[in-house]
């Protein structure tokens, strides 16, 4: 198992949209065992940690399970706001390591989703082969590279209960001193038949953006029913409206968001 992470100076597990506690989310104990075998050094959760009822209890249980593996950075999601309004989680966060930097938000804030590279711009600007922008919310796994900046845009997908035909998965980022990050895709589908998750290499799927535009994350509703395509976007009923405070709130994303 450690051969998959050979040479990496940091191993970062990236997951999102768990939507439940250990009873509702049987994949979580399996994932934490896998993360330990991969010698994960940090964990990122991109929001929607909890699910009704007893949202606060479930949020704490999931975060505690991840913290038992490695230092954990968590941002809020829309279900956390609804079912655990006193969660205290930030809207966005930054995890900076010597060999890579992760800028994290959930994906339901339209202002950030329309211009993530503008709103989340770190001090000193973006660095190709160093910066990764992480989001969740859609339950649609994505790994893309922005053409002009070289920033990698990662949505690990949902590690929570199965929804419609969307995959259940998460990701692991491998960071190196003299090379850009590499990614592993953790497919949770085998768990349904009592098997271990499947792991394979995950490469950026396509180039996005140009010198004249910025990447736009898809509306949150892609997870609701239709199979997503490049030309099909379904706007979610619960997608939040743009808020004037979004830029101000996330300019300070470098603050420590470990919980």
């Amino acid at each position: 198992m450690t051969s998959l992470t050979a040479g990496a100076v940091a191993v970062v597990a990236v997951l999102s949209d768990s939507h439940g506690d250990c009873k509702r989310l049987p994949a979580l104990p399996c994932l934490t065992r896998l993360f330990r075998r991969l010698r994960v050094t940090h964990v990122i959760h991109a929001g929607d940690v909890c699910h009704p009822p007893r949202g606060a209890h479930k949020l704490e249980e999931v975060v505690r399970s991840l913290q038992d593996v490695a230092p954990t950075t968590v941002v809020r999601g829309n279900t956390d706001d609804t079912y655990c309004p006193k969660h205290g989680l930030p809207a966005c966060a930054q995890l900076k390591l010597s060999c890579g930097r992760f800028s994290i938000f959930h994906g339901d804030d339209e202002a950030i989703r329309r211009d993530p590279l503008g709103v989340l711009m770190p001090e000193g600007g973006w660095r190709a082969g160093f910066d990764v922008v992480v989001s969740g919310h859609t339950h649609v796994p994505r790994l893309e590279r922005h053409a002009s900046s070289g920033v990698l845009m990662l949505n690990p997908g949902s590690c929570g209960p199965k929804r419609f035909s969307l995959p259940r998965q998460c990701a692991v980022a491998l960071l190196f001193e003299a090379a850009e990050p590499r990614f592993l895709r953790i497919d949770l589908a085998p768990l349904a038949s009592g098997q271990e998750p499947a792991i394979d290499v995950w490469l950026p799927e396509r180039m996005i953006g140009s010198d004249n535009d910025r990447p736009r994350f898809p509306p949150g509703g892609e997870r609701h029913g239709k199979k997503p395509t490049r030309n099909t976007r379904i706007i979610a009923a619960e997608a939040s409206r743009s808020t004037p405070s979004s830029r101000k709130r996330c300019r300070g994303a470098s603050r420590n968001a470990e919980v």
Side-chain angles (χ1 to χ4, degrees):
M1 184 69 70
T2 54
S3 63
L4 293 170
T5 60
V9 298
V11 181
V12 182
V14 185
L15 60 158
S16 188
D17 297 272
S18 50
H19 289 286
D21 59 8
C22 291
K23 291 182 179 179
R24 177 178 163 84
L25 184 61
L28 185 60
C30 183
L31 277 177
T32 55
R33 290 194 300 270
L34 176 62
F35 293 161
R36 289 189 178 94
R37 294 204 299 272
L38 290 171
R39 298 182 180 176
V40 162
T41 57
H42 298 79
V43 179
I44 290 171
H45 194 304
D48 275 7
V49 181
C50 70
H51 199 83
R54 297 191 304 142
H57 171 75
K58 295 183 177 186
L59 187 149
E60 293 170 0
E61 181 177 354
V62 172
V63 172
R64 188 166 52 247
S65 296
L66 298 175
Q67 287 177 322
D68 286 344
V69 175
T72 299
T73 300
V74 186
V75 297
R76 48 64 63 203
N78 51 291
T79 64
D80 305 319
D81 291 348
T82 301
Y83 303 113
C84 184
K86 297 182 180 180
H87 54 65
L89 299 175
C92 45
Q94 187 182 98
L95 172 63
K96 186 175 182 180
L97 306 173
S98 63
C99 45
R101 178 170 53 194
F102 297 82
S103 298
I104 311 146
F105 74 108
H106 180 57
D108 61 327
D109 187 310
E110 187 175 348
I112 307 176
R113 190 174 65 236
R114 286 180 178 276
D115 184 14
L117 296 190
V119 176
L120 301 176
M121 176 78 72
E123 184 177 352
W126 299 106
R127 294 169 55 185
F130 185 80
D131 277 303
V132 182
V133 173
V134 176
S135 68
H137 189 56
T138 67
H139 295 211
V140 179
R142 290 174 175 269
L143 177 58
E144 302 172 323
R145 187 192 309 276
H146 186 241
S148 59
S149 68
V151 173
L152 290 160
M153 322 294 285
L154 171 66
N155 184 327
S158 170
C159 66
K162 177 76 172 172
R163 277 188 159 186
F164 307 109
S165 60
L166 295 173
R168 296 175 62 218
Q169 68 168 66
C170 60
V172 171
L174 310 176
L175 306 186
F176 303 88
E177 288 291 359
E180 73 170 27
R182 297 206 303 261
F183 295 85
L184 302 176
R185 186 198 320 259
I186 313 297
D187 180 7
L188 303 180
L191 293 177
S193 55
Q195 303 177 51
E196 289 292 304
I199 306 174
D200 64 350
V201 174
W202 194 4
L203 300 174
E205 295 176 3
R206 61 189 177 97
M207 301 289 285
I208 61 173
S210 69
D211 291 335
N212 298 317
D213 64 16
R214 292 186 172 116
R216 289 183 60 179
F217 283 74
E222 276 197 1
R223 67 187 186 279
H224 292 284
K226 286 189 179 180
K227 183 178 179 181
T229 68
R230 289 186 180 180
N231 299 318
T232 301
R233 299 292 183 262
I234 308 168
I235 299 177
E238 76 271 14
S240 34
R241 296 180 177 272
S242 174
T243 57
S245 60
S246 296
R247 291 177 183 271
K248 182 185 297 184
R249 195 170 60 238
C250 291
R251 286 294 183 188
S254 59
R255 69 190 177 107
N256 187 352
E258 289 188 2
V259 295

